[in-house]
Amino acid sequence: MFRIDGINGESIVVDGVWVEKLRANNSVGRNPADRYSGTDVKELSRRKKLFGGEREHLLQLTIGIGSFYSLIVPAEKRPEVDALLAELDAARERATS
């Protein structure tokens, strides 16, 4: 099982056959892994405070899996994002075999 936690208490969990989005550890969507069609990753930058000069760098994931799941993670989690993409591809292969 693979889990990646984003900001605002959201997570994506891949358990081999299913892909599920959680918000505050409650399921908000669950689809079979064989419906995975791809992921779009965009880099974002935003201010930490409304009038502050400090910025945070984020990655926005949009996962197509029947419906679309979106997750925003800190840019430091790039290795975990790459691991998620590999796990989604492997789960799709296992589900279709």
Side-chain angles (χ1 to χ4, degrees), residues 1-5 11-22 29-34 36 39 63 65 69 71 80-81 83-95:
M1 178 155 71
F2 184 85
R3 177 181 177 140
I4 185 168
D5 296 320
S11 304
I12 299 284
V13 178
V14 181
D15 71 357
V17 179
W18 295 94
V19 179
E20 186 170 24
K21 178 162 183 185
L22 304 174
R30 185 175 181 188
N31 284 315
D34 64 350
Y36 171 65
T39 303
I63 301 169
I65 185 130
Y69 295 160
L71 184 70
E80 290 181 45
V81 170
L84 171 67
L85 299 178
E87 185 62 31
L88 286 167
D89 285 331
R92 177 177 51 190
E93 290 301 317
R94 284 191 302 267

Side-chain angles (χ1 to χ4, degrees), residues 32-71:
D34 64 350
R35 298 188 71 194
Y36 171 65
S37 60
T39 303
D40 182 37
V41 179
K42 293 183 181 175
E43 294 183 18
L44 304 173
S45 179
R46 68 178 186 185
R47 289 189 194 131
K48 284 189 172 184
K49 294 182 180 177
L50 183 60
F51 296 110
E54 193 176 348
R55 300 187 75 76
E56 63 182 337
H57 299 284
L58 305 167
L59 299 173
Q60 179 182 4
L61 310 173
T62 305
I63 301 169
I65 185 130
S67 58
F68 292 98
Y69 295 160
S70 178
L71 184 70

